[in-house]
Amino acid sequence: MRLHEILAAKQDEIKAYFISNYDGNGLINMECVRLCLSQIDGLVDLNKQEVLTIWRKLDRKGKGKVPFRKLLTLCQKPAF
């Protein structure tokens, strides 16, 4: 299964994780994404390069933080 398919299959779990761990500002950083993915069954085996690939798709401008909704949008895209 390709990375985008795995994310799409786990979209509800990713959303639930961030809702329960939401800090109130709606922004996430790479560490937040890494922690989330390490907690969800089926994503725990992602290596550092795969997490970095996901992060680079989210943070194209290199700001270090992105709106959480960008992660959900990435989960819905057919491929990356």
PDB file of all heavy atoms in Angstrom, residues 4 7-8 10-11 13-18 26 28-30 32-34 36-37 40 43 51 54-55 57-59 66-77 80:
ATOM      1  N   HIS A   4       0.172   7.512   0.570  1.00  0.00           N
ATOM      2  CA  HIS A   4      -1.061   8.310   0.555  1.00  0.00           C
ATOM      3  C   HIS A   4      -2.281   7.434   0.837  1.00  0.00           C
ATOM      4  O   HIS A   4      -3.243   7.896   1.452  1.00  0.00           O
ATOM      5  CB  HIS A   4      -1.217   9.059  -0.766  1.00  0.00           C
ATOM      6  CG  HIS A   4      -1.525   8.208  -1.939  1.00  0.00           C
ATOM      7  ND1 HIS A   4      -0.551   7.550  -2.638  1.00  0.00           N
ATOM      8  CD2 HIS A   4      -2.704   7.880  -2.511  1.00  0.00           C
ATOM      9  CE1 HIS A   4      -1.115   6.854  -3.603  1.00  0.00           C
ATOM     10  NE2 HIS A   4      -2.417   7.031  -3.553  1.00  0.00           N
ATOM     11  N   LEU A   7      -2.414   6.940   4.625  1.00  0.00           N
ATOM     12  CA  LEU A   7      -2.931   8.148   5.281  1.00  0.00           C
ATOM     13  C   LEU A   7      -4.439   8.281   5.087  1.00  0.00           C
ATOM     14  O   LEU A   7      -5.162   8.613   6.024  1.00  0.00           O
ATOM     15  CB  LEU A   7      -2.231   9.399   4.759  1.00  0.00           C
ATOM     16  CG  LEU A   7      -0.793   9.612   5.194  1.00  0.00           C
ATOM     17  CD1 LEU A   7      -0.231  10.849   4.514  1.00  0.00           C
ATOM     18  CD2 LEU A   7      -0.677   9.713   6.698  1.00  0.00           C
ATOM     19  N   ALA A   8      -4.897   8.023   3.888  1.00  0.00           N
ATOM     20  CA  ALA A   8      -6.332   8.125   3.607  1.00  0.00           C
ATOM     21  C   ALA A   8      -7.118   7.128   4.454  1.00  0.00           C
ATOM     22  O   ALA A   8      -8.178   7.457   4.997  1.00  0.00           O
ATOM     23  CB  ALA A   8      -6.598   7.900   2.125  1.00  0.00           C
ATOM     24  N   LYS A  10      -6.361   6.024   7.325  1.00  0.00           N
ATOM     25  CA  LYS A  10      -6.256   6.374   8.749  1.00  0.00           C
ATOM     26  C   LYS A  10      -6.713   7.787   9.050  1.00  0.00           C
ATOM     27  O   LYS A  10      -6.500   8.307  10.138  1.00  0.00           O
ATOM     28  CB  LYS A  10      -4.807   6.186   9.228  1.00  0.00           C
ATOM     29  CG  LYS A  10      -4.302   4.773   9.099  1.00  0.00           C
ATOM     30  CD  LYS A  10      -5.086   3.850  10.003  1.00  0.00           C
ATOM     31  CE  LYS A  10      -4.579   2.425   9.914  1.00  0.00           C
ATOM     32  NZ  LYS A  10      -5.260   1.545  10.845  1.00  0.00           N
ATOM     33  N   GLN A  11      -7.364   8.430   8.097  1.00  0.00           N
ATOM     34  CA  GLN A  11      -7.762   9.832   8.243  1.00  0.00           C
ATOM     35  C   GLN A  11      -8.586  10.086   9.501  1.00  0.00           C
ATOM     36  O   GLN A  11      -8.340  11.051  10.228  1.00  0.00           O
ATOM     37  CB  GLN A  11      -8.539  10.277   7.016  1.00  0.00           C
ATOM     38  CG  GLN A  11      -9.000  11.698   7.085  1.00  0.00           C
ATOM     39  CD  GLN A  11      -9.773  12.113   5.851  1.00  0.00           C
ATOM     40  OE1 GLN A  11      -9.793  11.416   4.853  1.00  0.00           O
ATOM     41  NE2 GLN A  11     -10.402  13.251   5.917  1.00  0.00           N
ATOM     42  N   GLU A  13      -8.658   8.410  12.298  1.00  0.00           N
ATOM     43  CA  GLU A  13      -7.821   8.250  13.484  1.00  0.00           C
ATOM     44  C   GLU A  13      -6.871   9.441  13.651  1.00  0.00           C
ATOM     45  O   GLU A  13      -6.615   9.882  14.774  1.00  0.00           O
ATOM     46  CB  GLU A  13      -7.028   6.949  13.405  1.00  0.00           C
ATOM     47  CG  GLU A  13      -7.906   5.712  13.507  1.00  0.00           C
ATOM     48  CD  GLU A  13      -7.130   4.440  13.282  1.00  0.00           C
ATOM     49  OE1 GLU A  13      -6.243   4.141  14.099  1.00  0.00           O
ATOM     50  OE2 GLU A  13      -7.412   3.763  12.280  1.00  0.00           O
ATOM     51  N   ILE A  14      -6.348   9.951  12.553  1.00  0.00           N
ATOM     52  CA  ILE A  14      -5.471  11.125  12.602  1.00  0.00           C
ATOM     53  C   ILE A  14      -6.253  12.321  13.131  1.00  0.00           C
ATOM     54  O   ILE A  14      -5.790  13.042  14.021  1.00  0.00           O
ATOM     55  CB  ILE A  14      -4.874  11.426  11.212  1.00  0.00           C
ATOM     56  CG1 ILE A  14      -3.895  10.316  10.814  1.00  0.00           C
ATOM     57  CG2 ILE A  14      -4.207  12.796  11.183  1.00  0.00           C
ATOM     58  CD1 ILE A  14      -3.444  10.366   9.365  1.00  0.00           C
ATOM     59  N   LYS A  15      -7.447  12.513  12.623  1.00  0.00           N
ATOM     60  CA  LYS A  15      -8.289  13.627  13.072  1.00  0.00           C
ATOM     61  C   LYS A  15      -8.605  13.481  14.562  1.00  0.00           C
ATOM     62  O   LYS A  15      -8.495  14.445  15.322  1.00  0.00           O
ATOM     63  CB  LYS A  15      -9.567  13.664  12.256  1.00  0.00           C
ATOM     64  CG  LYS A  15     -10.440  14.851  12.554  1.00  0.00           C
ATOM     65  CD  LYS A  15     -11.640  14.871  11.623  1.00  0.00           C
ATOM     66  CE  LYS A  15     -12.509  16.079  11.874  1.00  0.00           C
ATOM     67  NZ  LYS A  15     -13.652  16.129  10.949  1.00  0.00           N
ATOM     68  N   ALA A  16      -8.976  12.289  14.997  1.00  0.00           N
ATOM     69  CA  ALA A  16      -9.300  12.056  16.411  1.00  0.00           C
ATOM     70  C   ALA A  16      -8.091  12.315  17.299  1.00  0.00           C
ATOM     71  O   ALA A  16      -8.222  12.893  18.385  1.00  0.00           O
ATOM     72  CB  ALA A  16      -9.803  10.633  16.606  1.00  0.00           C
ATOM     73  N   TYR A  17      -6.901  11.921  16.841  1.00  0.00           N
ATOM     74  CA  TYR A  17      -5.687  12.156  17.623  1.00  0.00           C
ATOM     75  C   TYR A  17      -5.484  13.655  17.855  1.00  0.00           C
ATOM     76  O   TYR A  17      -5.244  14.096  18.968  1.00  0.00           O
ATOM     77  CB  TYR A  17      -4.462  11.570  16.916  1.00  0.00           C
ATOM     78  CG  TYR A  17      -3.174  11.910  17.620  1.00  0.00           C
ATOM     79  CD1 TYR A  17      -2.694  11.098  18.633  1.00  0.00           C
ATOM     80  CD2 TYR A  17      -2.455  13.057  17.303  1.00  0.00           C
ATOM     81  CE1 TYR A  17      -1.519  11.419  19.303  1.00  0.00           C
ATOM     82  CE2 TYR A  17      -1.288  13.386  17.962  1.00  0.00           C
ATOM     83  CZ  TYR A  17      -0.827  12.560  18.962  1.00  0.00           C
ATOM     84  OH  TYR A  17       0.327  12.892  19.625  1.00  0.00           O
ATOM     85  N   PHE A  18      -5.567  14.441  16.794  1.00  0.00           N
ATOM     86  CA  PHE A  18      -5.326  15.870  16.942  1.00  0.00           C
ATOM     87  C   PHE A  18      -6.432  16.580  17.698  1.00  0.00           C
ATOM     88  O   PHE A  18      -6.170  17.549  18.408  1.00  0.00           O
ATOM     89  CB  PHE A  18      -5.063  16.532  15.586  1.00  0.00           C
ATOM     90  CG  PHE A  18      -3.654  16.338  15.121  1.00  0.00           C
ATOM     91  CD1 PHE A  18      -3.365  15.497  14.073  1.00  0.00           C
ATOM     92  CD2 PHE A  18      -2.601  16.974  15.760  1.00  0.00           C
ATOM     93  CE1 PHE A  18      -2.055  15.297  13.652  1.00  0.00           C
ATOM     94  CE2 PHE A  18      -1.288  16.782  15.356  1.00  0.00           C
ATOM     95  CZ  PHE A  18      -1.021  15.938  14.294  1.00  0.00           C
ATOM     96  N   GLY A  26      -4.521  25.586  16.323  1.00  0.00           N
ATOM     97  CA  GLY A  26      -4.794  25.033  15.007  1.00  0.00           C
ATOM     98  C   GLY A  26      -3.575  24.755  14.157  1.00  0.00           C
ATOM     99  O   GLY A  26      -3.690  24.310  13.024  1.00  0.00           O
ATOM    100  N   ILE A  28       0.217  22.889  13.553  1.00  0.00           N
ATOM    101  CA  ILE A  28       1.006  21.725  13.932  1.00  0.00           C
ATOM    102  C   ILE A  28       2.402  21.870  13.353  1.00  0.00           C
ATOM    103  O   ILE A  28       2.611  22.585  12.368  1.00  0.00           O
ATOM    104  CB  ILE A  28       0.357  20.414  13.446  1.00  0.00           C
ATOM    105  CG1 ILE A  28       0.143  20.409  11.925  1.00  0.00           C
ATOM    106  CG2 ILE A  28      -0.953  20.158  14.179  1.00  0.00           C
ATOM    107  CD1 ILE A  28      -0.363  19.103  11.358  1.00  0.00           C
ATOM    108  N   ASN A  29       3.349  21.204  13.973  1.00  0.00           N
ATOM    109  CA  ASN A  29       4.715  21.188  13.454  1.00  0.00           C
ATOM    110  C   ASN A  29       5.112  19.748  13.142  1.00  0.00           C
ATOM    111  O   ASN A  29       4.326  18.827  13.326  1.00  0.00           O
ATOM    112  CB  ASN A  29       5.690  21.860  14.425  1.00  0.00           C
ATOM    113  CG  ASN A  29       5.737  21.169  15.772  1.00  0.00           C
ATOM    114  OD1 ASN A  29       5.482  19.973  15.901  1.00  0.00           O
ATOM    115  ND2 ASN A  29       6.061  21.929  16.800  1.00  0.00           N
ATOM    116  N   MET A  30       6.317  19.562  12.660  1.00  0.00           N
ATOM    117  CA  MET A  30       6.743  18.230  12.252  1.00  0.00           C
ATOM    118  C   MET A  30       6.729  17.259  13.422  1.00  0.00           C
ATOM    119  O   MET A  30       6.373  16.094  13.261  1.00  0.00           O
ATOM    120  CB  MET A  30       8.137  18.279  11.631  1.00  0.00           C
ATOM    121  CG  MET A  30       8.571  16.957  11.056  1.00  0.00           C
ATOM    122  SD  MET A  30      10.072  17.173  10.091  1.00  0.00           S
ATOM    123  CE  MET A  30      10.769  15.568  10.222  1.00  0.00           C
ATOM    124  N   CYS A  32       4.713  17.263  15.978  1.00  0.00           N
ATOM    125  CA  CYS A  32       3.307  16.883  16.208  1.00  0.00           C
ATOM    126  C   CYS A  32       2.875  15.799  15.227  1.00  0.00           C
ATOM    127  O   CYS A  32       2.216  14.836  15.612  1.00  0.00           O
ATOM    128  CB  CYS A  32       2.380  18.084  16.044  1.00  0.00           C
ATOM    129  SG  CYS A  32       2.551  19.363  17.268  1.00  0.00           S
ATOM    130  N   VAL A  33       3.254  15.973  13.977  1.00  0.00           N
ATOM    131  CA  VAL A  33       2.896  14.984  12.954  1.00  0.00           C
ATOM    132  C   VAL A  33       3.585  13.661  13.258  1.00  0.00           C
ATOM    133  O   VAL A  33       2.971  12.594  13.218  1.00  0.00           O
ATOM    134  CB  VAL A  33       3.263  15.492  11.544  1.00  0.00           C
ATOM    135  CG1 VAL A  33       3.085  14.413  10.507  1.00  0.00           C
ATOM    136  CG2 VAL A  33       2.427  16.715  11.199  1.00  0.00           C
ATOM    137  N   ARG A  34       4.861  13.711  13.604  1.00  0.00           N
ATOM    138  CA  ARG A  34       5.606  12.492  13.915  1.00  0.00           C
ATOM    139  C   ARG A  34       4.984  11.758  15.094  1.00  0.00           C
ATOM    140  O   ARG A  34       4.787  10.540  15.060  1.00  0.00           O
ATOM    141  CB  ARG A  34       7.071  12.807  14.214  1.00  0.00           C
ATOM    142  CG  ARG A  34       7.934  11.546  14.361  1.00  0.00           C
ATOM    143  CD  ARG A  34       9.278  11.843  14.987  1.00  0.00           C
ATOM    144  NE  ARG A  34       9.175  12.322  16.351  1.00  0.00           N
ATOM    145  CZ  ARG A  34       8.892  11.551  17.413  1.00  0.00           C
ATOM    146  NH1 ARG A  34       8.648  10.286  17.261  1.00  0.00           N
ATOM    147  NH2 ARG A  34       8.841  12.073  18.625  1.00  0.00           N
ATOM    148  N   CYS A  36       1.900  11.947  16.204  1.00  0.00           N
ATOM    149  CA  CYS A  36       0.601  11.419  15.789  1.00  0.00           C
ATOM    150  C   CYS A  36       0.778  10.120  15.025  1.00  0.00           C
ATOM    151  O   CYS A  36       0.146   9.105  15.340  1.00  0.00           O
ATOM    152  CB  CYS A  36      -0.142  12.433  14.933  1.00  0.00           C
ATOM    153  SG  CYS A  36      -1.630  11.767  14.153  1.00  0.00           S
ATOM    154  N   LEU A  37       1.623  10.140  14.021  1.00  0.00           N
ATOM    155  CA  LEU A  37       1.799   8.967  13.179  1.00  0.00           C
ATOM    156  C   LEU A  37       2.385   7.794  13.952  1.00  0.00           C
ATOM    157  O   LEU A  37       2.112   6.640  13.629  1.00  0.00           O
ATOM    158  CB  LEU A  37       2.668   9.317  11.969  1.00  0.00           C
ATOM    159  CG  LEU A  37       2.119  10.415  11.054  1.00  0.00           C
ATOM    160  CD1 LEU A  37       3.073  10.686   9.909  1.00  0.00           C
ATOM    161  CD2 LEU A  37       0.727  10.089  10.544  1.00  0.00           C
ATOM    162  N   ILE A  40      -0.635   5.829  15.861  1.00  0.00           N
ATOM    163  CA  ILE A  40      -1.759   5.235  15.141  1.00  0.00           C
ATOM    164  C   ILE A  40      -1.363   3.903  14.525  1.00  0.00           C
ATOM    165  O   ILE A  40      -0.383   3.826  13.778  1.00  0.00           O
ATOM    166  CB  ILE A  40      -2.285   6.212  14.067  1.00  0.00           C
ATOM    167  CG1 ILE A  40      -2.832   7.457  14.760  1.00  0.00           C
ATOM    168  CG2 ILE A  40      -3.343   5.558  13.189  1.00  0.00           C
ATOM    169  CD1 ILE A  40      -3.283   8.533  13.848  1.00  0.00           C
ATOM    170  N   LEU A  43       0.411   3.089  11.111  1.00  0.00           N
ATOM    171  CA  LEU A  43       1.340   4.165  10.756  1.00  0.00           C
ATOM    172  C   LEU A  43       2.593   4.125  11.619  1.00  0.00           C
ATOM    173  O   LEU A  43       3.561   4.812  11.311  1.00  0.00           O
ATOM    174  CB  LEU A  43       0.665   5.536  10.908  1.00  0.00           C
ATOM    175  CG  LEU A  43      -0.535   5.801  10.004  1.00  0.00           C
ATOM    176  CD1 LEU A  43      -1.150   7.154  10.332  1.00  0.00           C
ATOM    177  CD2 LEU A  43      -0.155   5.742   8.548  1.00  0.00           C
ATOM    178  N   VAL A  51       8.068  10.130   7.161  1.00  0.00           N
ATOM    179  CA  VAL A  51       7.522  11.247   7.933  1.00  0.00           C
ATOM    180  C   VAL A  51       8.011  12.568   7.336  1.00  0.00           C
ATOM    181  O   VAL A  51       7.239  13.511   7.183  1.00  0.00           O
ATOM    182  CB  VAL A  51       7.905  11.128   9.425  1.00  0.00           C
ATOM    183  CG1 VAL A  51       7.483  12.374  10.195  1.00  0.00           C
ATOM    184  CG2 VAL A  51       7.286   9.879  10.047  1.00  0.00           C
ATOM    185  N   ILE A  54       6.050  13.368   4.206  1.00  0.00           N
ATOM    186  CA  ILE A  54       4.739  13.909   4.562  1.00  0.00           C
ATOM    187  C   ILE A  54       4.881  15.371   4.983  1.00  0.00           C
ATOM    188  O   ILE A  54       4.128  16.234   4.538  1.00  0.00           O
ATOM    189  CB  ILE A  54       4.085  13.066   5.675  1.00  0.00           C
ATOM    190  CG1 ILE A  54       3.740  11.669   5.137  1.00  0.00           C
ATOM    191  CG2 ILE A  54       2.849  13.763   6.236  1.00  0.00           C
ATOM    192  CD1 ILE A  54       3.386  10.667   6.213  1.00  0.00           C
ATOM    193  N   TRP A  55       5.854  15.648   5.841  1.00  0.00           N
ATOM    194  CA  TRP A  55       6.035  17.013   6.320  1.00  0.00           C
ATOM    195  C   TRP A  55       6.360  17.979   5.181  1.00  0.00           C
ATOM    196  O   TRP A  55       5.839  19.087   5.120  1.00  0.00           O
ATOM    197  CB  TRP A  55       7.111  17.092   7.401  1.00  0.00           C
ATOM    198  CG  TRP A  55       7.232  18.484   7.898  1.00  0.00           C
ATOM    199  CD1 TRP A  55       8.254  19.348   7.698  1.00  0.00           C
ATOM    200  CD2 TRP A  55       6.244  19.213   8.632  1.00  0.00           C
ATOM    201  NE1 TRP A  55       7.977  20.564   8.263  1.00  0.00           N
ATOM    202  CE2 TRP A  55       6.746  20.511   8.847  1.00  0.00           C
ATOM    203  CE3 TRP A  55       4.991  18.892   9.129  1.00  0.00           C
ATOM    204  CZ2 TRP A  55       6.030  21.477   9.527  1.00  0.00           C
ATOM    205  CZ3 TRP A  55       4.280  19.866   9.813  1.00  0.00           C
ATOM    206  CH2 TRP A  55       4.804  21.142  10.011  1.00  0.00           C
ATOM    207  N   LYS A  57       5.437  17.814   2.148  1.00  0.00           N
ATOM    208  CA  LYS A  57       4.200  18.071   1.403  1.00  0.00           C
ATOM    209  C   LYS A  57       3.317  19.074   2.137  1.00  0.00           C
ATOM    210  O   LYS A  57       2.596  19.839   1.514  1.00  0.00           O
ATOM    211  CB  LYS A  57       3.422  16.767   1.190  1.00  0.00           C
ATOM    212  CG  LYS A  57       4.105  15.800   0.273  1.00  0.00           C
ATOM    213  CD  LYS A  57       4.129  16.339  -1.139  1.00  0.00           C
ATOM    214  CE  LYS A  57       4.777  15.364  -2.092  1.00  0.00           C
ATOM    215  NZ  LYS A  57       4.841  15.871  -3.440  1.00  0.00           N
ATOM    216  N   LEU A  58       3.392  19.073   3.451  1.00  0.00           N
ATOM    217  CA  LEU A  58       2.576  19.986   4.257  1.00  0.00           C
ATOM    218  C   LEU A  58       3.186  21.380   4.322  1.00  0.00           C
ATOM    219  O   LEU A  58       2.490  22.377   4.185  1.00  0.00           O
ATOM    220  CB  LEU A  58       2.418  19.442   5.683  1.00  0.00           C
ATOM    221  CG  LEU A  58       1.623  18.157   5.836  1.00  0.00           C
ATOM    222  CD1 LEU A  58       1.747  17.647   7.260  1.00  0.00           C
ATOM    223  CD2 LEU A  58       0.173  18.378   5.473  1.00  0.00           C
ATOM    224  N   ASP A  59       4.477  21.443   4.583  1.00  0.00           N
ATOM    225  CA  ASP A  59       5.156  22.711   4.838  1.00  0.00           C
ATOM    226  C   ASP A  59       6.005  23.123   3.636  1.00  0.00           C
ATOM    227  O   ASP A  59       7.220  23.209   3.715  1.00  0.00           O
ATOM    228  CB  ASP A  59       6.017  22.584   6.100  1.00  0.00           C
ATOM    229  CG  ASP A  59       6.603  23.899   6.551  1.00  0.00           C
ATOM    230  OD1 ASP A  59       6.065  24.967   6.187  1.00  0.00           O
ATOM    231  OD2 ASP A  59       7.623  23.872   7.274  1.00  0.00           O
ATOM    232  N   VAL A  66       2.132  24.412  10.210  1.00  0.00           N
ATOM    233  CA  VAL A  66       1.069  24.464   9.205  1.00  0.00           C
ATOM    234  C   VAL A  66      -0.271  24.270   9.904  1.00  0.00           C
ATOM    235  O   VAL A  66      -0.337  23.683  10.982  1.00  0.00           O
ATOM    236  CB  VAL A  66       1.251  23.377   8.114  1.00  0.00           C
ATOM    237  CG1 VAL A  66       2.530  23.592   7.336  1.00  0.00           C
ATOM    238  CG2 VAL A  66       1.197  21.984   8.696  1.00  0.00           C
ATOM    239  N   PRO A  67      -1.345  24.741   9.300  1.00  0.00           N
ATOM    240  CA  PRO A  67      -2.674  24.494   9.862  1.00  0.00           C
ATOM    241  C   PRO A  67      -2.984  22.993   9.831  1.00  0.00           C
ATOM    242  O   PRO A  67      -2.643  22.302   8.867  1.00  0.00           O
ATOM    243  CB  PRO A  67      -3.624  25.256   8.947  1.00  0.00           C
ATOM    244  CG  PRO A  67      -2.775  26.236   8.220  1.00  0.00           C
ATOM    245  CD  PRO A  67      -1.420  25.614   8.125  1.00  0.00           C
ATOM    246  N   PHE A  68      -3.611  22.513  10.873  1.00  0.00           N
ATOM    247  CA  PHE A  68      -3.977  21.105  10.965  1.00  0.00           C
ATOM    248  C   PHE A  68      -4.802  20.661   9.758  1.00  0.00           C
ATOM    249  O   PHE A  68      -4.646  19.556   9.257  1.00  0.00           O
ATOM    250  CB  PHE A  68      -4.743  20.853  12.269  1.00  0.00           C
ATOM    251  CG  PHE A  68      -5.442  19.533  12.311  1.00  0.00           C
ATOM    252  CD1 PHE A  68      -4.711  18.371  12.315  1.00  0.00           C
ATOM    253  CD2 PHE A  68      -6.816  19.461  12.327  1.00  0.00           C
ATOM    254  CE1 PHE A  68      -5.341  17.141  12.343  1.00  0.00           C
ATOM    255  CE2 PHE A  68      -7.456  18.246  12.347  1.00  0.00           C
ATOM    256  CZ  PHE A  68      -6.713  17.086  12.359  1.00  0.00           C
ATOM    257  N   ARG A  69      -5.636  21.520   9.256  1.00  0.00           N
ATOM    258  CA  ARG A  69      -6.503  21.151   8.130  1.00  0.00           C
ATOM    259  C   ARG A  69      -5.698  20.749   6.897  1.00  0.00           C
ATOM    260  O   ARG A  69      -6.169  20.003   6.056  1.00  0.00           O
ATOM    261  CB  ARG A  69      -7.499  22.259   7.816  1.00  0.00           C
ATOM    262  CG  ARG A  69      -6.917  23.494   7.218  1.00  0.00           C
ATOM    263  CD  ARG A  69      -7.980  24.562   6.935  1.00  0.00           C
ATOM    264  NE  ARG A  69      -7.382  25.708   6.316  1.00  0.00           N
ATOM    265  CZ  ARG A  69      -6.710  26.661   6.954  1.00  0.00           C
ATOM    266  NH1 ARG A  69      -6.560  26.596   8.259  1.00  0.00           N
ATOM    267  NH2 ARG A  69      -6.191  27.675   6.303  1.00  0.00           N
ATOM    268  N   LYS A  70      -4.451  21.239   6.783  1.00  0.00           N
ATOM    269  CA  LYS A  70      -3.603  20.843   5.651  1.00  0.00           C
ATOM    270  C   LYS A  70      -3.287  19.347   5.716  1.00  0.00           C
ATOM    271  O   LYS A  70      -3.211  18.683   4.681  1.00  0.00           O
ATOM    272  CB  LYS A  70      -2.303  21.645   5.625  1.00  0.00           C
ATOM    273  CG  LYS A  70      -2.470  23.034   5.074  1.00  0.00           C
ATOM    274  CD  LYS A  70      -1.143  23.723   4.911  1.00  0.00           C
ATOM    275  CE  LYS A  70      -0.583  23.402   3.557  1.00  0.00           C
ATOM    276  NZ  LYS A  70       0.582  24.218   3.208  1.00  0.00           N
ATOM    277  N   LEU A  71      -3.098  18.820   6.920  1.00  0.00           N
ATOM    278  CA  LEU A  71      -2.847  17.390   7.060  1.00  0.00           C
ATOM    279  C   LEU A  71      -4.073  16.597   6.631  1.00  0.00           C
ATOM    280  O   LEU A  71      -3.957  15.603   5.918  1.00  0.00           O
ATOM    281  CB  LEU A  71      -2.461  17.041   8.495  1.00  0.00           C
ATOM    282  CG  LEU A  71      -2.200  15.551   8.777  1.00  0.00           C
ATOM    283  CD1 LEU A  71      -1.086  15.000   7.885  1.00  0.00           C
ATOM    284  CD2 LEU A  71      -1.864  15.347  10.237  1.00  0.00           C
ATOM    285  N   LEU A  72      -5.253  17.062   7.039  1.00  0.00           N
ATOM    286  CA  LEU A  72      -6.467  16.369   6.613  1.00  0.00           C
ATOM    287  C   LEU A  72      -6.655  16.433   5.101  1.00  0.00           C
ATOM    288  O   LEU A  72      -7.058  15.451   4.479  1.00  0.00           O
ATOM    289  CB  LEU A  72      -7.688  16.959   7.320  1.00  0.00           C
ATOM    290  CG  LEU A  72      -7.759  16.716   8.819  1.00  0.00           C
ATOM    291  CD1 LEU A  72      -9.015  17.343   9.394  1.00  0.00           C
ATOM    292  CD2 LEU A  72      -7.692  15.250   9.151  1.00  0.00           C
ATOM    293  N   THR A  73      -6.339  17.575   4.513  1.00  0.00           N
ATOM    294  CA  THR A  73      -6.431  17.713   3.063  1.00  0.00           C
ATOM    295  C   THR A  73      -5.449  16.765   2.378  1.00  0.00           C
ATOM    296  O   THR A  73      -5.794  16.117   1.390  1.00  0.00           O
ATOM    297  CB  THR A  73      -6.146  19.169   2.641  1.00  0.00           C
ATOM    298  OG1 THR A  73      -7.103  20.022   3.256  1.00  0.00           O
ATOM    299  CG2 THR A  73      -6.212  19.341   1.142  1.00  0.00           C
ATOM    300  N   LEU A  74      -4.250  16.646   2.921  1.00  0.00           N
ATOM    301  CA  LEU A  74      -3.255  15.741   2.353  1.00  0.00           C
ATOM    302  C   LEU A  74      -3.751  14.301   2.423  1.00  0.00           C
ATOM    303  O   LEU A  74      -3.538  13.520   1.485  1.00  0.00           O
ATOM    304  CB  LEU A  74      -1.925  15.878   3.105  1.00  0.00           C
ATOM    305  CG  LEU A  74      -0.786  15.035   2.569  1.00  0.00           C
ATOM    306  CD1 LEU A  74      -0.356  15.520   1.187  1.00  0.00           C
ATOM    307  CD2 LEU A  74       0.392  15.064   3.520  1.00  0.00           C
ATOM    308  N   CYS A  75      -4.424  13.949   3.491  1.00  0.00           N
ATOM    309  CA  CYS A  75      -4.975  12.588   3.634  1.00  0.00           C
ATOM    310  C   CYS A  75      -6.031  12.296   2.578  1.00  0.00           C
ATOM    311  O   CYS A  75      -6.221  11.129   2.203  1.00  0.00           O
ATOM    312  CB  CYS A  75      -5.595  12.405   5.017  1.00  0.00           C
ATOM    313  SG  CYS A  75      -4.421  12.380   6.376  1.00  0.00           S
ATOM    314  N   GLN A  76      -6.697  13.315   2.106  1.00  0.00           N
ATOM    315  CA  GLN A  76      -7.783  13.134   1.136  1.00  0.00           C
ATOM    316  C   GLN A  76      -7.306  13.118  -0.310  1.00  0.00           C
ATOM    317  O   GLN A  76      -8.014  12.672  -1.186  1.00  0.00           O
ATOM    318  CB  GLN A  76      -8.825  14.239   1.302  1.00  0.00           C
ATOM    319  CG  GLN A  76      -9.505  14.190   2.640  1.00  0.00           C
ATOM    320  CD  GLN A  76     -10.328  15.426   2.910  1.00  0.00           C
ATOM    321  OE1 GLN A  76     -10.323  16.379   2.138  1.00  0.00           O
ATOM    322  NE2 GLN A  76     -11.052  15.426   4.007  1.00  0.00           N
ATOM    323  N   LYS A  77      -6.085  13.585  -0.552  1.00  0.00           N
ATOM    324  CA  LYS A  77      -5.586  13.640  -1.931  1.00  0.00           C
ATOM    325  C   LYS A  77      -5.328  12.223  -2.449  1.00  0.00           C
ATOM    326  O   LYS A  77      -4.897  11.351  -1.715  1.00  0.00           O
ATOM    327  CB  LYS A  77      -4.278  14.432  -1.986  1.00  0.00           C
ATOM    328  CG  LYS A  77      -4.494  15.917  -1.846  1.00  0.00           C
ATOM    329  CD  LYS A  77      -3.206  16.654  -2.072  1.00  0.00           C
ATOM    330  CE  LYS A  77      -3.431  18.154  -1.990  1.00  0.00           C
ATOM    331  NZ  LYS A  77      -2.204  18.889  -2.223  1.00  0.00           N
ATOM    332  N   PHE A  80       0.538  11.487  -3.786  1.00  0.00           N
ATOM    333  CA  PHE A  80       1.587  12.515  -3.673  1.00  0.00           C
ATOM    334  C   PHE A  80       2.930  11.942  -3.914  1.00  0.00           C
ATOM    335  O   PHE A  80       3.186  10.940  -4.378  1.00  0.00           O
ATOM    336  CB  PHE A  80       1.564  13.270  -2.346  1.00  0.00           C
ATOM    337  CG  PHE A  80       1.667  12.501  -1.083  1.00  0.00           C
ATOM    338  CD1 PHE A  80       2.882  12.136  -0.557  1.00  0.00           C
ATOM    339  CD2 PHE A  80       0.518  12.148  -0.384  1.00  0.00           C
ATOM    340  CE1 PHE A  80       2.970  11.473   0.650  1.00  0.00           C
ATOM    341  CE2 PHE A  80       0.598  11.490   0.804  1.00  0.00           C
ATOM    342  CZ  PHE A  80       1.825  11.136   1.326  1.00  0.00           C
TER     343      PHE A  80
END
